[in-house]
Each structure stands twice: as C-alpha cells, then as structure tokens.
Amino acid sequence: MSTCSEVSLALGEQLHATAPYAPRWLLVEDPGPWGRKAVAEAGLGELEARGKEVGVRVGLVRRFGRPSARGPRRVFLVSCVPPEPFVELLPEPDLESRGERIEGPLYLVCTNGRRDVCCGRAGRELGRALAPELGERLWETTHIGGHRFAPNLVCLPHGLMYGRLDAVSARHVARAYQSGEVELDHLRGRTSLEPEAQARDYFARRATDRLSLDDDPAAELRLEVEVELLEPPRPESCGGEPKQPLAWRLVSP
C-alpha cells in the first residue's frame, strides 16, 4: 500500500502555500518516547488548547539523535512575525512568560513515527543527513503539519517550512537560510502568513527572483490568486480518511 507522501507526489500536488498558519511557536524539550498525541500525553494538552486559541503552535522537541537527559527542560518561544522574528528561552512552558533572547537559527524536523509513518521514516533519514552540518541547531519535533509532504523542515525564527527534501536539497535550504535567503523549489510557505498570503509571496518571488528574507515583492505586485479543491481526494496522513486539500494558483497577471 502506498504511503500518504507517495500518493501526494504521484498526484503532482504542489508544495507552495501548504504551511500551517503559526505566527508563534512554543517548543518544550521532552526526551520522549512520543505517542500519537504527544503534547497531550506529556501533560500539556491544556497548554496546547490555549495555544490554538491565541495563534501559538505548541510542540515537543529534543536534540536530534541525542535524547535530552531527564531534568530541567528547555522551553523556546519563537515569534515568526516580521520585521524582527526572535527566539526566547523561557523559564517554564507558559504562553504569557517572557524570557531571554537567544541567537537562532533553530531547525525542526518531524520524526514522530507514531503520528505518521512518513515522518518517522523520512524525517529520521533527513535528520541523519543534516546533523553533521547543523549540529545542536537541529531538533526533532512531534508534529508540524503536512505529513504527506514528508520529510519536512522548519527554519526558525522566520518560520520557513520546506517539504519533500533529500540530503542535497536540505543542505541547500539550510545554507540559503543562513545566507538570509528563501529557497523556492521546496518551499511550503512562511508560517507567519495565512495560506493566501503564502501563495502571493511564492508567486511574487518566482516572478521577480527576489529571494531575500527581508524582501516583500508581493507588497509591490498586484497578484491575484485563487483557491481550488483538488481531485481526487487523498489521505493527509498515512491511514487517514481521503480528503480534498486546497491548492492556490496564480490568476493574474
């Protein structure tokens, strides 16, 4: 039986404008093991629910390949909102806390195989490929959305999300990000933007070849985009019921 990522690829589903809208992230260090509903199973279900209400995506993280020791856990609050995205180290998992600013970037790769087979297998493969280059900047996480685009990588604090990466393309993405640029071929979107704005950003960058993180070509171009339901329905995750995902296309100019 085909996996959700194999089906998505075979159907030619596009990556752009598929990133979840997540202007802020709260990441709690937890060595695991992680279950299907990892955040709730770690005792943070109420925090996760409050986060959804105020636009904060709550997830668990651990250093890739080196599970964190039991004891005090690190908590990161990430704001992806321009013009000054940031990462703060918090004293505790609290949506209202403020902490100490730390230097980024942080990279997240979803490896939770109990949530989805594609993320578990492809995510770990991607992590092994990136670990020598990214070192302690690379973190495993429980869920970022979009299993069918696995393996996925998030570059924080700017909230750039990429999908369908292999070792070569992932290193290219990381190097582009470190140079202050967006890589378009595997870009799912910027999580500080709603999907429609992600689509405009993608098409504007394609049209102008303006790749700087700080650039905003969509603000200058009058681009019209529209959304459509894709046929046929396909599973959004392995074992899930088939659904019709949304896709954004350029209408004009």
Side-chain angles (χ1 to χ4, degrees), residues 21-38:
Y21 178 58
R24 294 194 296 160
W25 299 64
L26 186 70
L27 305 170
V28 183
E29 186 175 21
D30 186 284
W34 296 334
R36 180 172 177 80
K37 297 182 178 180

Side-chain angles (χ1 to χ4, degrees), residues 1-248:
M1 182 178 295
S2 297
T3 64
C4 66
S5 59
E6 291 170 339
V7 172
S8 175
L9 183 60
L11 291 174
E13 190 174 352
Q14 297 297 307
L15 289 172
H16 62 264
T18 63
Y21 178 58
R24 294 194 296 160
W25 299 64
L26 186 70
L27 305 170
V28 183
E29 186 175 21
D30 186 284
W34 296 334
R36 180 172 177 80
K37 297 182 178 180
V39 175
E41 291 164 9
L44 299 173
E46 184 178 340
L47 181 69
E48 183 179 32
R50 292 205 313 271
K52 289 179 180 178
E53 295 175 356
V54 296
V56 180
R57 191 177 189 93
V58 178
L60 306 181
V61 295
R62 63 189 176 206
R63 286 274 173 76
F64 183 82
R66 293 187 297 119
S68 310
R70 295 285 181 181
R73 56 187 176 181
R74 281 159 290 188
V75 181
F76 302 101
L77 174 66
V78 183
S79 172
C80 304
V81 180
E84 295 184 12
F86 62 82
V87 181
E88 288 184 348
L89 187 63
L90 304 186
E92 58 184 345
D94 189 324
L95 298 176
E96 307 302 324
S97 291
R98 296 307 301 267
E100 174 190 358
R101 291 278 177 100
I102 63 173
E103 292 295 323
L106 303 178
Y107 299 90
L108 306 183
V109 57
C110 182
T111 61
N112 189 2
R114 293 184 181 176
R115 182 75 181 244
D116 187 84
V117 172
C118 292
C119 290
R121 183 184 65 231
R124 282 191 290 268
E125 290 178 359
L126 182 66
R128 284 192 291 269
L130 287 175
E133 184 163 334
L134 300 183
E136 294 189 351
R137 299 289 185 182
L138 180 63
W139 295 78
E140 299 180 60
T141 191
T142 48
H143 179 58
I144 58 177
H147 310 293
R148 66 191 186 278
F149 303 119
N152 292 291
L153 181 72
V154 185
C155 303
L156 298 173
H158 290 81
L160 296 178
M161 185 174 288
Y162 294 92
R164 294 189 187 136
L165 295 167
D166 57 22
V168 174
S169 59
R171 292 189 191 103
H172 181 65
V173 162
R175 290 167 187 169
Y177 184 55
Q178 291 164 8
S179 298
E181 293 189 343
V182 178
E183 194 277 341
L184 291 179
D185 288 343
H186 294 268
L187 181 67
R188 291 185 54 198
R190 194 164 181 161
T191 67
S192 60
L193 301 176
E194 298 275 9
E196 183 174 350
Q198 291 178 27
R200 288 198 174 94
D201 178 68
Y202 171 81
F203 288 121
R205 290 181 183 277
R206 276 290 185 205
T208 62
D209 201 33
R210 290 161 57 179
L211 302 179
S212 171
L213 283 169
D214 298 326
D215 209 348
D216 186 11
E220 302 172 20
L221 300 181
R222 292 183 174 273
L223 298 181
E224 183 180 352
V225 298
E226 68 178 19
V227 69
E228 60 183 355
L229 283 171
L230 293 181
E231 293 282 1
R234 74 287 313 266
E236 295 182 341
S237 61
C238 291
E241 291 296 322
K243 297 181 180 180
Q244 286 182 276
L246 301 178
W248 293 88

